[in-house]
Amino acid sequence: FRSSEENWRTNVRSQTNQRNDSLLLSKRVAVQGLFYIGSFFLTWIFAYIVPISAAMPGPLPTWVHFLFLTLLPLQGWFNALNYLRPKIVNYFKEKLQRTETV
């Protein structure tokens, strides 16, 4: 039988591991959210610039128009990449571990 001190130490280690796992999961979720926000801003910033520039005197710069027409339709592709990013990272991490053990 374990002493009460051993039980307490085991319980504390278990709680510490659970906290560390929870913090790691929170960090992963936060990073994933930042990738979604980044892709949102990348695609929509030019969608906001085009009408504002149109209200100002002078022609719209060609590169702004080009980026607007290119990036806005790619938002779905960026979202798909963001969705698959954790799976791709895990795949390569497991592949690297397998090659290191061989």
Side-chain angles (χ1 to χ4, degrees):
F1 290 97
R2 291 182 173 175
S3 69
S4 61
E5 185 177 338
E6 288 175 4
N7 284 337
W8 179 80
R9 286 182 183 174
T10 303
N11 190 20
V12 168
R13 278 189 215 116
S14 174
Q15 289 176 351
T16 303
N17 288 340
Q18 288 174 352
R19 266 190 240 120
N20 288 341
D21 291 345
S22 178
L23 289 174
L24 182 62
L25 181 62
S26 294
K27 183 179 177 182
R28 287 180 181 170
V29 170
V31 168
Q32 188 70 8
L34 289 174
F35 274 107
Y36 276 106
I37 291 169
S39 66
F40 174 83
F41 280 125
L42 179 67
T43 56
W44 281 95
I45 189 71
F46 295 103
Y48 289 118
I49 290 174
V50 167
I52 292 170
S53 295
M56 294 181 180
L60 177 67
T62 306
W63 63 271
V64 172
H65 199 172
F66 175 77
L67 288 174
F68 166 65
L69 293 174
T70 304
L71 292 176
L72 194 61
L74 288 175
Q75 185 177 12
W77 174 249
F78 293 145
N79 285 339
L81 286 177
N82 288 332
Y83 177 77
L84 293 173
R85 192 189 71 78
K87 294 169 181 52
I88 294 169
V89 168
N90 287 337
Y91 170 77
F92 284 110
K93 193 180 294 184
E94 289 174 7
K95 186 176 179 181
L96 180 64
Q97 287 174 351
R98 278 184 269 152
T99 57
E100 287 178 351
T101 58
V102 172

